[in-house]
Amino acid sequence: MSLKNKIAVVTGAGSGMGLATVKAFLREGATVYALDISEDNLNQELKAEPHAHLIALDISNSAAVNEAFSRIANEQGKIHALINAAGVNTPNRRATEWLDNINHSMLDAMKNGQPYHPEFLSEIPDEDFDRVMQINVNGTFYAIRAAAPLLKAADGGAIVNFASVAGLVGLPMPAYYPASKAAIVGMTRSISGELAPFNIRVNALAPAGINTALLTQSGEDHVQALLSMQPLKRLAEPEEIAETLVFLASDAGAHYTGQILSPSGGAYLA
């Protein structure tokens, strides 16, 4: 599944699954443009990689995304893969702490056999909902729109978006996250049809629990609660997810398009 001489763009490249994907693509011989909001993370993790080109930007800023892809167009003229790994679970630290408190209260109630009915709707301000949608949905759209001409210039390639099992099944959580990930599912399927005549494949991954700091920061009880909902009782490693992305971006994945693959340990069974 070599990616030798391929040019790839990975968003959310400074940590988690995005970073693991960059490293896997580099190992397979690709030149990778690594995009992330954190310049510090990019430099710390990837500055020493000679075939990694680092671009710090806010993926929800349309002008910044267009500028980044204009640079790539000038330097390369084409790309062969776009991996849209940039995304957030919550819009800010305040919302993260609020959600952690709810999750811990829910787990305590479950342990004691007591009912617990979290209230999310009344507590989500407009700006929190908008921010998650801007990053997860708008940012993915901006990147695809900017990448499409460069993929066409390569006579085809692959786009992989990050959805989530939360966008496929009903789970109690703040509505902005499952709404954004369900939107990714619809966007993936629609754009796959539009770009198929150009030999551009568009798929999405809908993972469940992944062993990243974003998930494990909530504590072991929260992790175990998530694992209780899936047959395989462990978190997936970011490197495992990256191997799926290598496959989808390579010639080995040439007949996959419009698909939603769910590396979820069986939490989602289509």
Side-chain angles (χ1 to χ4, degrees), residues 100-233:
D100 280 348
N101 287 335
I102 290 176
N103 286 335
H104 288 304
S105 296
M106 190 183 308
L107 289 170
D108 288 342
M110 289 171 59
K111 288 178 183 178
N112 296 322
Q114 298 173 341
Y116 184 77
H117 305 290
E119 293 187 10
F120 295 118
L121 287 173
S122 61
E123 300 301 317
I124 300 174
D126 293 354
E127 57 269 23
D128 282 11
F129 191 93
D130 290 344
R131 182 59 180 159
V132 173
M133 299 299 281
Q134 287 164 2
I135 296 170
N136 292 359
V137 181
N138 294 19
T140 297
F141 169 73
Y142 297 152
I144 293 173
R145 183 177 61 185
L150 298 180
L151 288 158
K152 291 177 182 178
D155 294 323
I159 297 171
V160 186
N161 303 318
F162 269 76
S164 166
V165 72
L168 301 175
V169 301
L171 298 170
M173 62 176 60
Y176 42 63
Y177 184 71
S180 71
K181 294 306 184 178
I184 295 300
V185 171
M187 191 187 307
T188 297
R189 288 174 171 157
S190 176
I191 294 174
S192 71
E194 178 180 347
L195 296 183
F198 303 97
N199 195 33
I200 299 170
R201 312 181 310 276
V202 188
N203 296 291
L205 295 187
I210 309 296
N211 188 19
T212 64
L214 197 64
L215 175 65
T216 57
Q217 67 183 357
S218 296
E220 183 61 22
D221 282 353
H222 180 57
V223 170
Q224 291 304 316
L226 289 175
L227 293 180
S228 70
M229 295 185 286
Q230 63 186 57
L232 295 180
K233 303 300 182 185

Side-chain angles (χ1 to χ4, degrees), residues 9-19 21-22 34-38 55 57-61 65 82-90 131-143 160-164 177 180-181 184 205 214 245:
V9 179
V10 179
T11 74
S15 61
M17 290 179 284
L19 176 59
T21 300
V22 172
L35 282 52
D36 196 272
I37 196 170
S38 173
I55 302 178
L57 56 73
D58 181 346
I59 199 67
S60 71
N61 183 323
V65 172
L82 167 66
I83 309 301
N84 281 309
V88 294
N89 294 346
T90 57
R131 182 59 180 159
V132 173
M133 299 299 281
Q134 287 164 2
I135 296 170
N136 292 359
V137 181
N138 294 19
T140 297
F141 169 73
Y142 297 152
V160 186
N161 303 318
F162 269 76
S164 166
Y177 184 71
S180 71
K181 294 306 184 178
I184 295 300
L205 295 187
L214 197 64
L245 292 161

